[in-house]
Amino acid sequence: MPRRRSHGLELAAGCTVAIATLFLSTGIPATADPGGPTTGPRREVPPEMLASMQRDLGLTADEVKTRLTNEYRAGAAEPGLRKSLGGSYGGAWVSGNTAELTVATTDKDQSGTITAGGAKAEVVHHSLKALNDAKDALDRTAAQRAPATDAVSVWYVDLKSNSVVVQSAEPAEASAFVAASGADPDVVRVVESAERPRPLEDLRGGEAYYINGTVRCSIGFSVAQDARGGFVTAGHCGPAGAATTGFNRVDQGVVQGSTFPGNDYAWVATNDGWTPRPWVIGPDSTNVTVTGSQQAPVGSSVCRSGSTTGWHCGIIQQHDTSVQYPQGTVSGMTRTSACAEPGDSGGSFISGSEAQGVTSGGSGNCTVGGTSYYQPVNPILRTYGLTLTTG
């Protein structure tokens, strides 16, 4: 029986003063939101991930271990922070070699409470809701004008600058796009950029699979829907109903659902010849076990694997990013500094042992560096009623 391997990348308190109880002496939240994604126990850092993060992020072994622990705790606490700070919440992110937590608020009176809890407080002008409202306005305009403008390539909520950033090679056209959206001009800033993301399609990424015998993409993460096993991947790889074969060209399954543009996700139900495993293929074909799908906060480390470029790590730069591909706009993406190249589409992004998403597109390459985008995995699981295969 052939074995399909995932060679691609496979607390709430009602008052502000409660925040002080959420942090350890290191400044990292310790209490997870019980309504968040299910995760397994913490485990030692796999040697291959340790080496890759040291190489790509310039960290020591001790810094990698501390960083992953702090990132996990910060991600677990973020939902509670958002609830506790209410309308003044401006977002939370980690930074530095060991992932120190920063919490933003529009209410300076909350700063002392935040710092007393061990996190760094940052007073900002705009709440996260104001930022999200502005980005939503841009998304609506893009949906009505497909494409909104060829000059605008990417826009996202940038927590660290407390703004919505619109990237464009032609700032004047980008400014017109912003004005047409009705978004608050005080919240949005246009940044000149030559970046032009493209889907990384029609080549291998991670453990190759083939759509209709021609297009090659990557397996993301193993999943199940009731008694059916399968995997999630990028939607631009193929439409619902398309037949797939594995890396060995053996019949594999059928695409059950696929969305692109708008989103970039799909899932494939496989036949009995393929066994779902809770693995992501790391360097030198080692297996990294997936234990859950807790979203990592902005500033966290993240690693990606693909057969074109191998295993590479980077930093999560922004969540909820909108990318305008030639085929249309995809929203809700995560932007990272991990490099990727054509052939890496559909492969897995993983932070520590937590599944993050499937590779969608990017710019640049792994020789000079680049930017990549992934579709978060939790919305895929919810949309299709899937359960992530974990170890």
mmCIF file of all heavy atoms in Angstrom, residues 186-226:
data_model
loop_
_atom_site.group_PDB
_atom_site.id
_atom_site.type_symbol
_atom_site.label_atom_id
_atom_site.label_comp_id
_atom_site.label_asym_id
_atom_site.label_seq_id
_atom_site.Cartn_x
_atom_site.Cartn_y
_atom_site.Cartn_z
ATOM 1 N N ASP A 186 -6.753 58.592 7.542
ATOM 2 C CA ASP A 186 -5.799 58.693 8.644
ATOM 3 C C ASP A 186 -5.270 57.320 9.068
ATOM 4 O O ASP A 186 -4.240 57.227 9.745
ATOM 5 C CB ASP A 186 -6.450 59.368 9.854
ATOM 6 C CG ASP A 186 -6.750 60.842 9.601
ATOM 7 O OD1 ASP A 186 -6.058 61.443 8.756
ATOM 8 O OD2 ASP A 186 -7.676 61.376 10.239
ATOM 9 N N VAL A 187 -5.989 56.284 8.679
ATOM 10 C CA VAL A 187 -5.613 54.930 9.079
ATOM 11 C C VAL A 187 -4.751 54.248 8.016
ATOM 12 O O VAL A 187 -3.924 53.396 8.329
ATOM 13 C CB VAL A 187 -6.881 54.094 9.348
ATOM 14 C CG1 VAL A 187 -6.556 52.643 9.620
ATOM 15 C CG2 VAL A 187 -7.663 54.689 10.517
ATOM 16 N N VAL A 188 -4.929 54.630 6.752
ATOM 17 C CA VAL A 188 -4.285 53.943 5.635
ATOM 18 C C VAL A 188 -3.055 54.713 5.166
ATOM 19 O O VAL A 188 -3.071 55.934 5.073
ATOM 20 C CB VAL A 188 -5.268 53.780 4.457
ATOM 21 C CG1 VAL A 188 -4.607 53.021 3.312
ATOM 22 C CG2 VAL A 188 -6.539 53.068 4.916
ATOM 23 N N ARG A 189 -1.981 53.979 4.866
ATOM 24 C CA ARG A 189 -0.811 54.598 4.253
ATOM 25 C C ARG A 189 -0.366 53.763 3.057
ATOM 26 O O ARG A 189 -0.405 52.529 3.078
ATOM 27 C CB ARG A 189 0.332 54.763 5.251
ATOM 28 C CG ARG A 189 0.896 53.502 5.829
ATOM 29 C CD ARG A 189 1.838 53.793 6.993
ATOM 30 N NE ARG A 189 2.415 52.577 7.545
ATOM 31 C CZ ARG A 189 3.615 52.100 7.211
ATOM 32 N NH1 ARG A 189 4.362 52.754 6.332
ATOM 33 N NH2 ARG A 189 4.073 50.993 7.757
ATOM 34 N N VAL A 190 0.037 54.460 1.998
ATOM 35 C CA VAL A 190 0.487 53.810 0.774
ATOM 36 C C VAL A 190 2.010 53.698 0.800
ATOM 37 O O VAL A 190 2.708 54.664 1.099
ATOM 38 C CB VAL A 190 0.035 54.603 -0.466
ATOM 39 C CG1 VAL A 190 0.626 54.003 -1.732
ATOM 40 C CG2 VAL A 190 -1.488 54.631 -0.534
ATOM 41 N N VAL A 191 2.502 52.506 0.519
ATOM 42 C CA VAL A 191 3.938 52.253 0.505
ATOM 43 C C VAL A 191 4.335 51.815 -0.899
ATOM 44 O O VAL A 191 3.754 50.877 -1.454
ATOM 45 C CB VAL A 191 4.324 51.157 1.524
ATOM 46 C CG1 VAL A 191 5.796 50.798 1.397
ATOM 47 C CG2 VAL A 191 4.002 51.612 2.940
ATOM 48 N N GLU A 192 5.305 52.488 -1.473
ATOM 49 C CA GLU A 192 5.760 52.132 -2.818
ATOM 50 C C GLU A 192 6.507 50.806 -2.770
ATOM 51 O O GLU A 192 7.414 50.602 -1.957
ATOM 52 C CB GLU A 192 6.655 53.222 -3.385
ATOM 53 C CG GLU A 192 7.023 52.992 -4.846
ATOM 54 C CD GLU A 192 7.672 54.209 -5.497
ATOM 55 O OE1 GLU A 192 7.847 55.226 -4.798
ATOM 56 O OE2 GLU A 192 8.001 54.140 -6.696
ATOM 57 N N SER A 193 6.123 49.882 -3.639
ATOM 58 C CA SER A 193 6.722 48.551 -3.643
ATOM 59 C C SER A 193 6.574 47.936 -5.030
ATOM 60 O O SER A 193 5.538 48.074 -5.680
ATOM 61 C CB SER A 193 6.045 47.655 -2.602
ATOM 62 O OG SER A 193 6.473 46.324 -2.728
ATOM 63 N N ALA A 194 7.619 47.242 -5.454
ATOM 64 C CA ALA A 194 7.583 46.551 -6.744
ATOM 65 C C ALA A 194 7.089 45.115 -6.601
ATOM 66 O O ALA A 194 7.028 44.378 -7.584
ATOM 67 C CB ALA A 194 8.971 46.561 -7.373
ATOM 68 N N GLU A 195 6.727 44.713 -5.386
ATOM 69 C CA GLU A 195 6.295 43.337 -5.162
ATOM 70 C C GLU A 195 5.046 43.023 -5.968
ATOM 71 O O GLU A 195 4.085 43.791 -5.983
ATOM 72 C CB GLU A 195 6.011 43.118 -3.672
ATOM 73 C CG GLU A 195 5.565 41.707 -3.355
ATOM 74 C CD GLU A 195 5.242 41.506 -1.890
ATOM 75 O OE1 GLU A 195 5.526 42.409 -1.081
ATOM 76 O OE2 GLU A 195 4.697 40.439 -1.553
ATOM 77 N N ARG A 196 5.063 41.893 -6.652
ATOM 78 C CA ARG A 196 3.912 41.445 -7.421
ATOM 79 C C ARG A 196 3.725 39.947 -7.173
ATOM 80 O O ARG A 196 4.300 39.117 -7.867
ATOM 81 C CB ARG A 196 4.139 41.717 -8.915
ATOM 82 C CG ARG A 196 3.055 41.158 -9.835
ATOM 83 C CD ARG A 196 1.673 41.655 -9.482
ATOM 84 N NE ARG A 196 1.469 43.062 -9.748
ATOM 85 C CZ ARG A 196 0.344 43.705 -9.498
ATOM 86 N NH1 ARG A 196 -0.672 43.057 -8.950
ATOM 87 N NH2 ARG A 196 0.231 44.988 -9.756
ATOM 88 N N PRO A 197 2.951 39.572 -6.143
ATOM 89 C CA PRO A 197 2.768 38.152 -5.838
ATOM 90 C C PRO A 197 2.087 37.417 -6.986
ATOM 91 O O PRO A 197 1.316 37.998 -7.760
ATOM 92 C CB PRO A 197 1.863 38.169 -4.602
ATOM 93 C CG PRO A 197 2.034 39.536 -4.038
ATOM 94 C CD PRO A 197 2.251 40.441 -5.195
ATOM 95 N N ARG A 198 2.388 36.148 -7.084
ATOM 96 C CA ARG A 198 1.774 35.297 -8.103
ATOM 97 C C ARG A 198 1.522 33.934 -7.487
ATOM 98 O O ARG A 198 2.262 33.511 -6.585
ATOM 99 C CB ARG A 198 2.688 35.146 -9.312
ATOM 100 C CG ARG A 198 3.976 34.392 -8.995
ATOM 101 C CD ARG A 198 5.076 34.663 -9.986
ATOM 102 N NE ARG A 198 6.265 33.874 -9.712
ATOM 103 C CZ ARG A 198 7.132 34.124 -8.743
ATOM 104 N NH1 ARG A 198 6.924 35.137 -7.921
ATOM 105 N NH2 ARG A 198 8.196 33.370 -8.574
ATOM 106 N N PRO A 199 0.515 33.238 -7.918
ATOM 107 C CA PRO A 199 0.319 31.882 -7.412
ATOM 108 C C PRO A 199 1.500 31.001 -7.787
ATOM 109 O O PRO A 199 2.032 31.112 -8.894
ATOM 110 C CB PRO A 199 -0.964 31.410 -8.124
ATOM 111 C CG PRO A 199 -1.651 32.674 -8.524
ATOM 112 C CD PRO A 199 -0.549 33.652 -8.840
ATOM 113 N N LEU A 200 1.926 30.164 -6.863
ATOM 114 C CA LEU A 200 3.039 29.262 -7.119
ATOM 115 C C LEU A 200 2.462 27.928 -7.576
ATOM 116 O O LEU A 200 2.416 26.952 -6.840
ATOM 117 C CB LEU A 200 3.876 29.099 -5.847
ATOM 118 C CG LEU A 200 4.374 30.405 -5.232
ATOM 119 C CD1 LEU A 200 5.089 30.143 -3.918
ATOM 120 C CD2 LEU A 200 5.282 31.149 -6.193
ATOM 121 N N GLU A 201 1.997 27.887 -8.822
ATOM 122 C CA GLU A 201 1.229 26.747 -9.284
ATOM 123 C C GLU A 201 1.945 25.962 -10.364
ATOM 124 O O GLU A 201 2.960 26.401 -10.903
ATOM 125 C CB GLU A 201 -0.137 27.214 -9.812
ATOM 126 C CG GLU A 201 -0.044 28.159 -10.973
ATOM 127 C CD GLU A 201 -1.402 28.671 -11.400
ATOM 128 O OE1 GLU A 201 -2.405 28.040 -11.056
ATOM 129 O OE2 GLU A 201 -1.458 29.693 -12.071
ATOM 130 N N ASP A 202 1.388 24.813 -10.693
ATOM 131 C CA ASP A 202 1.773 24.001 -11.833
ATOM 132 C C ASP A 202 3.145 23.371 -11.671
ATOM 133 O O ASP A 202 3.709 22.878 -12.619
ATOM 134 C CB ASP A 202 1.735 24.828 -13.126
ATOM 135 C CG ASP A 202 1.464 23.943 -14.324
ATOM 136 O OD1 ASP A 202 0.968 22.826 -14.144
ATOM 137 O OD2 ASP A 202 1.770 24.372 -15.445
ATOM 138 N N LEU A 203 3.708 23.382 -10.453
ATOM 139 C CA LEU A 203 4.959 22.717 -10.164
ATOM 140 C C LEU A 203 4.858 22.065 -8.794
ATOM 141 O O LEU A 203 3.890 22.277 -8.076
ATOM 142 C CB LEU A 203 6.136 23.703 -10.201
ATOM 143 C CG LEU A 203 6.498 24.277 -11.563
ATOM 144 C CD1 LEU A 203 7.541 25.363 -11.412
ATOM 145 C CD2 LEU A 203 7.018 23.199 -12.498
ATOM 146 N N ARG A 204 5.890 21.299 -8.445
ATOM 147 C CA ARG A 204 5.837 20.591 -7.161
ATOM 148 C C ARG A 204 6.087 21.512 -5.987
ATOM 149 O O ARG A 204 6.861 22.442 -6.052
ATOM 150 C CB ARG A 204 6.884 19.486 -7.145
ATOM 151 C CG ARG A 204 6.561 18.364 -8.069
ATOM 152 C CD ARG A 204 7.699 17.388 -8.108
ATOM 153 N NE ARG A 204 8.901 18.025 -8.668
ATOM 154 C CZ ARG A 204 10.082 17.422 -8.731
ATOM 155 N NH1 ARG A 204 10.222 16.208 -8.243
ATOM 156 N NH2 ARG A 204 11.115 18.036 -9.266
ATOM 157 N N GLY A 205 5.429 21.213 -4.869
ATOM 158 C CA GLY A 205 5.711 21.882 -3.616
ATOM 159 C C GLY A 205 5.444 20.909 -2.506
ATOM 160 O O GLY A 205 4.365 20.355 -2.397
ATOM 161 N N GLY A 206 6.409 20.643 -1.676
ATOM 162 C CA GLY A 206 6.267 19.598 -0.681
ATOM 163 C C GLY A 206 6.226 18.261 -1.412
ATOM 164 O O GLY A 206 6.794 18.094 -2.471
ATOM 165 N N GLU A 207 5.570 17.277 -0.872
ATOM 166 C CA GLU A 207 5.398 16.008 -1.575
ATOM 167 C C GLU A 207 4.432 16.229 -2.723
ATOM 168 O O GLU A 207 3.290 16.630 -2.511
ATOM 169 C CB GLU A 207 4.841 14.951 -0.622
ATOM 170 C CG GLU A 207 4.813 13.550 -1.196
ATOM 171 C CD GLU A 207 6.189 12.952 -1.283
ATOM 172 O OE1 GLU A 207 6.612 12.341 -0.308
ATOM 173 O OE2 GLU A 207 6.842 13.102 -2.325
ATOM 174 N N ALA A 208 4.894 16.018 -3.910
ATOM 175 C CA ALA A 208 4.113 16.351 -5.093
ATOM 176 C C ALA A 208 2.833 15.531 -5.189
ATOM 177 O O ALA A 208 2.786 14.368 -4.803
ATOM 178 C CB ALA A 208 4.949 16.145 -6.342
ATOM 179 N N TYR A 209 1.780 16.166 -5.656
ATOM 180 C CA TYR A 209 0.615 15.446 -6.153
ATOM 181 C C TYR A 209 0.214 16.135 -7.445
ATOM 182 O O TYR A 209 0.587 17.283 -7.703
ATOM 183 C CB TYR A 209 -0.526 15.412 -5.134
ATOM 184 C CG TYR A 209 -1.309 16.700 -4.998
ATOM 185 C CD1 TYR A 209 -2.484 16.915 -5.713
ATOM 186 C CD2 TYR A 209 -0.873 17.714 -4.152
ATOM 187 C CE1 TYR A 209 -3.212 18.089 -5.581
ATOM 188 C CE2 TYR A 209 -1.586 18.893 -4.015
ATOM 189 C CZ TYR A 209 -2.749 19.078 -4.739
ATOM 190 O OH TYR A 209 -3.452 20.257 -4.614
ATOM 191 N N TYR A 210 -0.520 15.417 -8.282
ATOM 192 C CA TYR A 210 -0.836 15.908 -9.616
ATOM 193 C C TYR A 210 -2.347 16.033 -9.784
ATOM 194 O O TYR A 210 -3.101 15.177 -9.324
ATOM 195 C CB TYR A 210 -0.278 14.964 -10.678
ATOM 196 C CG TYR A 210 1.237 14.867 -10.654
ATOM 197 C CD1 TYR A 210 1.870 14.025 -9.746
ATOM 198 C CD2 TYR A 210 2.013 15.613 -11.527
ATOM 199 C CE1 TYR A 210 3.254 13.935 -9.699
ATOM 200 C CE2 TYR A 210 3.398 15.530 -11.499
ATOM 201 C CZ TYR A 210 4.013 14.688 -10.579
ATOM 202 O OH TYR A 210 5.384 14.611 -10.540
ATOM 203 N N ILE A 211 -2.765 17.105 -10.438
ATOM 204 C CA ILE A 211 -4.183 17.355 -10.678
ATOM 205 C C ILE A 211 -4.467 17.082 -12.149
ATOM 206 O O ILE A 211 -3.843 17.686 -13.038
ATOM 207 C CB ILE A 211 -4.575 18.805 -10.327
ATOM 208 C CG1 ILE A 211 -4.240 19.111 -8.864
ATOM 209 C CG2 ILE A 211 -6.062 19.037 -10.577
ATOM 210 C CD1 ILE A 211 -2.897 19.752 -8.700
ATOM 211 N N ASN A 212 -5.423 16.165 -12.386
ATOM 212 C CA ASN A 212 -5.781 15.774 -13.754
ATOM 213 C C ASN A 212 -4.570 15.353 -14.568
ATOM 214 O O ASN A 212 -4.509 15.563 -15.787
ATOM 215 C CB ASN A 212 -6.531 16.906 -14.460
ATOM 216 C CG ASN A 212 -7.922 17.117 -13.897
ATOM 217 O OD1 ASN A 212 -8.536 16.186 -13.371
ATOM 218 N ND2 ASN A 212 -8.425 18.340 -13.985
ATOM 219 N N GLY A 213 -3.582 14.795 -13.897
ATOM 220 C CA GLY A 213 -2.420 14.237 -14.574
ATOM 221 C C GLY A 213 -1.415 15.237 -15.090
ATOM 222 O O GLY A 213 -0.428 14.846 -15.718
ATOM 223 N N THR A 214 -1.627 16.534 -14.837
ATOM 224 C CA THR A 214 -0.726 17.531 -15.414
ATOM 225 C C THR A 214 -0.180 18.498 -14.370
ATOM 226 O O THR A 214 1.025 18.572 -14.157
ATOM 227 C CB THR A 214 -1.447 18.325 -16.523
ATOM 228 O OG1 THR A 214 -2.644 18.884 -15.991
ATOM 229 C CG2 THR A 214 -1.789 17.432 -17.705
ATOM 230 N N VAL A 215 -1.058 19.267 -13.743
ATOM 231 C CA VAL A 215 -0.628 20.292 -12.794
ATOM 232 C C VAL A 215 -0.066 19.643 -11.531
ATOM 233 O O VAL A 215 -0.656 18.715 -10.986
ATOM 234 C CB VAL A 215 -1.808 21.215 -12.414
ATOM 235 C CG1 VAL A 215 -1.380 22.222 -11.359
ATOM 236 C CG2 VAL A 215 -2.330 21.933 -13.654
ATOM 237 N N ARG A 216 1.069 20.136 -11.076
ATOM 238 C CA ARG A 216 1.682 19.612 -9.858
ATOM 239 C C ARG A 216 1.580 20.646 -8.743
ATOM 240 O O ARG A 216 1.864 21.817 -8.935
ATOM 241 C CB ARG A 216 3.158 19.282 -10.108
ATOM 242 C CG ARG A 216 3.370 18.121 -11.063
ATOM 243 C CD ARG A 216 4.832 17.900 -11.335
ATOM 244 N NE ARG A 216 5.395 18.998 -12.124
ATOM 245 C CZ ARG A 216 6.685 19.078 -12.456
ATOM 246 N NH1 ARG A 216 7.540 18.164 -12.030
ATOM 247 N NH2 ARG A 216 7.115 20.089 -13.186
ATOM 248 N N CYS A 217 1.172 20.219 -7.560
ATOM 249 C CA CYS A 217 1.121 21.066 -6.369
ATOM 250 C C CYS A 217 1.574 20.271 -5.165
ATOM 251 O O CYS A 217 2.111 19.173 -5.308
ATOM 252 C CB CYS A 217 -0.285 21.630 -6.164
ATOM 253 S SG CYS A 217 -0.591 23.191 -7.031
ATOM 254 N N SER A 218 1.364 20.857 -3.949
ATOM 255 C CA SER A 218 1.865 20.253 -2.726
ATOM 256 C C SER A 218 0.744 19.853 -1.791
ATOM 257 O O SER A 218 -0.258 20.540 -1.682
ATOM 258 C CB SER A 218 2.738 21.247 -1.962
ATOM 259 O OG SER A 218 3.648 21.871 -2.794
ATOM 260 N N ILE A 219 0.970 18.769 -1.082
ATOM 261 C CA ILE A 219 0.083 18.397 0.009
ATOM 262 C C ILE A 219 0.352 19.343 1.174
ATOM 263 O O ILE A 219 1.509 19.632 1.481
ATOM 264 C CB ILE A 219 0.323 16.941 0.421
ATOM 265 C CG1 ILE A 219 -0.098 16.011 -0.712
ATOM 266 C CG2 ILE A 219 -0.387 16.603 1.720
ATOM 267 C CD1 ILE A 219 0.325 14.578 -0.523
ATOM 268 N N GLY A 220 -0.731 19.821 1.807
ATOM 269 C CA GLY A 220 -0.567 20.689 2.965
ATOM 270 C C GLY A 220 -0.560 19.885 4.249
ATOM 271 O O GLY A 220 0.498 19.442 4.713
ATOM 272 N N PHE A 221 -1.736 19.650 4.840
ATOM 273 C CA PHE A 221 -1.855 18.889 6.084
ATOM 274 C C PHE A 221 -2.893 17.792 5.917
ATOM 275 O O PHE A 221 -3.891 17.964 5.220
ATOM 276 C CB PHE A 221 -2.275 19.803 7.240
ATOM 277 C CG PHE A 221 -1.279 20.871 7.572
ATOM 278 C CD1 PHE A 221 -1.421 22.148 7.050
ATOM 279 C CD2 PHE A 221 -0.199 20.597 8.398
ATOM 280 C CE1 PHE A 221 -0.502 23.146 7.342
ATOM 281 C CE2 PHE A 221 0.728 21.578 8.697
ATOM 282 C CZ PHE A 221 0.585 22.850 8.170
ATOM 283 N N SER A 222 -2.644 16.672 6.568
ATOM 284 C CA SER A 222 -3.614 15.570 6.565
ATOM 285 C C SER A 222 -4.842 15.959 7.372
ATOM 286 O O SER A 222 -4.734 16.576 8.434
ATOM 287 C CB SER A 222 -2.990 14.312 7.157
ATOM 288 O OG SER A 222 -1.918 13.852 6.364
ATOM 289 N N VAL A 223 -6.027 15.564 6.868
ATOM 290 C CA VAL A 223 -7.291 15.887 7.526
ATOM 291 C C VAL A 223 -8.248 14.715 7.387
ATOM 292 O O VAL A 223 -7.974 13.753 6.662
ATOM 293 C CB VAL A 223 -7.941 17.154 6.915
ATOM 294 C CG1 VAL A 223 -7.066 18.385 7.125
ATOM 295 C CG2 VAL A 223 -8.230 16.941 5.418
ATOM 296 N N ALA A 224 -9.369 14.820 8.078
ATOM 297 C CA ALA A 224 -10.434 13.816 7.946
ATOM 298 C C ALA A 224 -11.778 14.514 7.953
ATOM 299 O O ALA A 224 -11.963 15.543 8.608
ATOM 300 C CB ALA A 224 -10.363 12.805 9.081
ATOM 301 N N GLN A 225 -12.705 13.965 7.199
ATOM 302 C CA GLN A 225 -14.099 14.405 7.238
ATOM 303 C C GLN A 225 -14.944 13.162 7.463
ATOM 304 O O GLN A 225 -15.095 12.341 6.548
ATOM 305 C CB GLN A 225 -14.516 15.102 5.937
ATOM 306 C CG GLN A 225 -15.909 15.699 5.984
ATOM 307 C CD GLN A 225 -16.374 16.189 4.636
ATOM 308 O OE1 GLN A 225 -16.709 15.386 3.770
ATOM 309 N NE2 GLN A 225 -16.397 17.498 4.453
ATOM 310 N N ASP A 226 -15.448 13.007 8.683
ATOM 311 C CA ASP A 226 -16.115 11.768 9.076
ATOM 312 C C ASP A 226 -15.150 10.598 8.859
ATOM 313 O O ASP A 226 -14.064 10.595 9.400
ATOM 314 C CB ASP A 226 -17.421 11.598 8.294
ATOM 315 C CG ASP A 226 -18.398 12.740 8.573
ATOM 316 O OD1 ASP A 226 -18.431 13.203 9.728
ATOM 317 O OD2 ASP A 226 -19.112 13.145 7.641
#
